[in-house]
Amino acid sequence: MRACFLTITTTAEDREFDTRRDGEMELSPLYAMIKYREENASVVLTLQNKEIVMERTGDYSLRLVLEQGKIRKGSIGIGVQDGEIETFAKKIAYTIKDESVLLSLQYDLIIGGEAQPMKLRLFAKNK
């Protein structure tokens, strides 16, 4: 794992949030793993075979699997309660280079049959 700097832009409910973090990443031509910390959590993103897996552990847990054009099941946990969540990925695009990763996602979070459109743009670069 190499130290990296991340810029993350998330759009939900027409509101955009920008975040900058220090993290770690492991890169190969066909695979990337990015790890970083939020205030009360750890996040791991894995990019491989046009599939994205997001795993968050901490004050709440979240596991999302995104595959373009498909509805995929995930999970969310708050305290001792665990529930199911689904995703529908409209667009997955990423580029892995020797020292950086650029990821762009457009997807719906589906909770109780209701879809919430989400966008995520992440850029990670070696320090």
Side-chain angles (χ1 to χ4, degrees), residues 3-126:
C4 67
F5 181 76
L6 295 101
T7 302
I8 305 163
T9 302
T10 306
T11 306
E13 297 177 358
D14 295 323
R15 294 175 44 202
E16 194 171 281
F17 304 93
D18 289 317
T19 306
R20 299 183 193 288
R21 298 274 187 249
D22 290 320
E24 297 179 311
M25 66 182 176
E26 180 181 323
L27 304 176
S28 74
L30 301 174
Y31 169 85
M33 177 186 285
I34 302 162
K35 296 180 179 184
Y36 65 94
R37 292 203 46 83
E38 292 182 342
E39 187 174 323
N40 295 314
S42 296
V43 179
V44 178
L45 290 169
T46 307
L47 297 66
Q48 187 173 22
N49 298 326
K50 293 293 181 185
E51 180 180 272
I52 311 296
V53 178
M54 291 185 216
E55 296 179 282
R56 182 189 194 281
T57 55
D59 52 352
Y60 69 90
S61 64
L62 181 67
R63 184 174 196 282
L64 302 178
V65 180
L66 297 130
E67 186 175 357
Q68 190 163 311
K70 295 186 179 180
I71 293 176
R72 298 290 304 267
K73 293 189 184 305
S75 62
I76 185 167
I78 302 171
V80 295
Q81 297 281 10
D82 284 326
E84 190 175 279
I85 192 169
E86 294 180 319
T87 58
F88 176 74
K90 300 172 190 173
K91 175 188 169 190
I92 295 176
Y94 61 84
T95 303
I96 302 171
K97 296 188 177 179
D98 288 340
E99 297 189 8
S100 65
V101 175
L102 177 61
L103 167 65
S104 178
L105 297 174
Q106 292 180 13
Y107 63 99
D108 289 337
L109 275 180
I110 305 167
I111 304 169
E114 294 291 320
Q116 178 180 351
M118 303 288 291
K119 290 182 185 177
L120 179 116
R121 183 180 185 280
L122 177 141
F123 179 68
K125 182 171 176 58
N126 280 351

